[in-house]
Amino acid sequence: MTRKNGDFVLPGDILGVSEEFIPGYGVYEEKGKVYSSITGIANLDFERKRAFVEPLTDTPPIPKLGDIVICEVTGIKEKMAMVEIIALKKNPRRALAVSPMARIYISQTSRKYVTDISHEFKEGDLVRAKVVNVKKTPIELSTVGENFGVIRAYCSKCKTPLEKKNNKLECPRCGNVELRKTASDYRKGVF
Amino acid sequence: MELIKDGIRIDGRKKDELREIKIKAGVLKRADGSAYVEWGMNKVYAAVYGPRELYPRFLRRYDKAILQCRYNMASFSVEERKRPGPDRRSVEISKVTRSALEPVVLTENFPESVINVNIEIVQAEAGTRCAGITAASVALADAGIPMRDLLPACAAGKVGGEIVLDLCKEEDNFGESDLPIAMVPRTGGITLLQMDGLMTEEEIEEALNLAKKGCKIIYEKQKEALKQKYRGNNND
């Protein structure tokens, strides 16, 4: 049986032989044959000899280049902020299938020149960031840009969520003023 | 009690006839993937979570995801109230379910992580481990976890001196032998093989072939369940 481009396939459905295709997403090779491993629509490129399956099901979330993520700062080092990815924007309900550890290097925090990264992030902050490198472990994120940065920060003295007043972050409880690289929609409840 | 008379069994089935089976994919909203199986009087839910980060860390495998299966019977699932919680039997079934599913799931795609498979038996009437594995593999596919194939499971056994397919409650209790298997339909590989009672070599061979036939029928039902859920919005 030969498969056509755009066929509905299930796990274990044969797509072709190894000479025809290089397995891509949702495709695996076994004993000279190429099979689908997920439920979806077969995408067979006979010219470039590639096969992948476009999933119709929910898929395990894996951060890809350019993905927007929400993360929590777990630690600050001299030149970077260590963060833990809480969710991917495209699939927020499901836990990450890979290690959620990531880092934001000092040069990737802001468009401005940053001398001290602890003026941009503090432990416990919620940050919206973009994935810029997935080949390294931990993966690298960036908060360069108006939409990226801290979306919720806590006072370093009393742990009260800080409020934004005239481009400054102020603690409503103790009046402490702090510095952060905030996103434009800081504490607006936007994901 | 006569369990089989003129080729007709106690519940009116023929020797090579399965009970009525209904499979539905994606029934639980909170789970990453789920399935519901009604197999005769058996009612089974399977829910899948993951792959996700595994703790404690020493359980992690650097080259593959591990499967954690939990088979659980509700206290109201059997005639007499079952004491809730894991017991010797359910720990064993959890273990055989895991080893049945491991060869079909492409665990090497998700190193250092865990896939949780939860099987809840809401109502039991013989053959719950087969129903559980059948449901679990549909739930795994529903979660978008890459698999080599779906995994149907089915039992055959010896009742009243004859080899029959898919034993019901009375046959399981008063029959001579029960042989549940799980088969990878594409390759014909068997990932679960257990036996209860006694059979001769020839009888085992016969029961195995019968159970394999049963697996193929269930495989079609599993595919149908996934098609029904995911093909509805895409008519190609």
Side-chain angles (χ1 to χ4, degrees), chain B residues 186-212:
Chain B
R186 187 165 57 68
T187 57
I190 287 170
T191 63
L192 167 86
L193 181 65
Q194 291 187 300
M195 192 169 82
D196 197 16
L198 294 169
M199 278 196 277
T200 65
E201 215 172 290
E202 294 79 41
E203 281 167 344
I204 290 173
E205 190 85 10
E206 200 188 329
L208 207 54
N209 287 331
L210 198 58
K212 279 182 182 173

Side-chain angles (χ1 to χ4, degrees), chain B residues 100-101 104 133-134 137 147 149-153 182-185 191 222:
Chain B
L101 290 169
V104 286
I133 291 169
T134 305
S137 87
M147 293 160 80
D149 208 342
L150 294 169
L151 185 71
M183 184 182 74
V184 187
T191 63
Q222 287 178 318

